[in-house]
Amino acid sequence: QVHLVESGGGLVQPGGSLRLSCAPSGSIFRTVAMGWYRQAPGKERELVATINSGGGINYADSVKGRFTIARDNAKNAVYLQMNSLKPEDTAVYYCNLRGYPTFGPNWDDYWGQGTQVTVSS
């Protein structure tokens, strides 16, 4: 039901910045959290940052101090400001929404199609 559309990826030099955006479409009964995950070639998908419905934020240790996650409740959107980018940040970044599609006990994870971030000189 919920579709997530990411934007903002691209090619940047080390030390550069990018801002990723995720704008959900469709209805969701209740959002538990939204966040960003990434997957580099040959590696497992990993958490980058999440923000829950109460505003609580978690970051991966590897991005603390460099990345900032934010939300816009009015637009039901989530953003990831990435500064001081490193080559190791190169990955496909996926937006995630965890929530309840309808009233009931079952939640679901919804994923965007991914946006490529490449950090290279």
Side-chain angles (χ1 to χ4, degrees), residues 79-92:
Y79 308 93
L80 185 68
Q81 178 67 45
M82 305 185 294
N83 298 327
S84 301
L85 283 162
K86 304 175 181 180
E88 64 193 76
D89 296 317
T90 296
V92 177

Side-chain angles (χ1 to χ4, degrees), residues 1-6 22-28 34 75-77 95 97 110-112:
Q1 290 183 251
V2 177
H3 299 277
L4 306 178
V5 180
E6 305 110 330
C22 176
S25 64
S27 63
I28 187 73
M34 296 186 70
K75 298 179 180 179
N76 197 27
C95 180
L97 185 156
Y110 302 90
W111 297 93

Side-chain angles (χ1 to χ4, degrees), residues 50-120:
T50 61
I51 181 167
N52 64 30
S53 60
I57 295 172
N58 288 307
Y59 293 103
D61 288 341
S62 60
V63 307
K64 287 181 178 178
R66 300 188 298 121
F67 291 10
T68 303
I69 190 170
R71 65 177 181 173
D72 185 335
N73 289 335
K75 298 179 180 179
N76 197 27
V78 65
Y79 308 93
L80 185 68
Q81 178 67 45
M82 305 185 294
N83 298 327
S84 301
L85 283 162
K86 304 175 181 180
E88 64 193 76
D89 296 317
T90 296
V92 177
Y93 284 69
Y94 297 92
C95 180
N96 168 264
L97 185 156
R98 174 169 289 183
Y100 296 86
T102 62
F103 177 82
N106 300 315
W107 67 83
D108 291 309
D109 280 318
Y110 302 90
W111 297 93
Q113 67 180 30
T115 184
Q116 177 70 48
V117 172
T118 302
V119 185
S120 176

Side-chain angles (χ1 to χ4, degrees), residues 9-70:
L11 173 64
V12 297
Q13 295 183 345
S17 298
L18 285 173
R19 187 171 190 249
L20 305 183
S21 300
C22 176
S25 64
S27 63
I28 187 73
F29 180 74
R30 181 165 63 250
T31 297
V32 177
M34 296 186 70
W36 294 92
Y37 295 73
R38 67 187 182 188
Q39 187 168 21
K43 298 183 67 177
E44 299 290 331
R45 182 186 64 189
E46 64 177 351
L47 181 149
V48 178
T50 61
I51 181 167
N52 64 30
S53 60
I57 295 172
N58 288 307
Y59 293 103
D61 288 341
S62 60
V63 307
K64 287 181 178 178
R66 300 188 298 121
F67 291 10
T68 303
I69 190 170

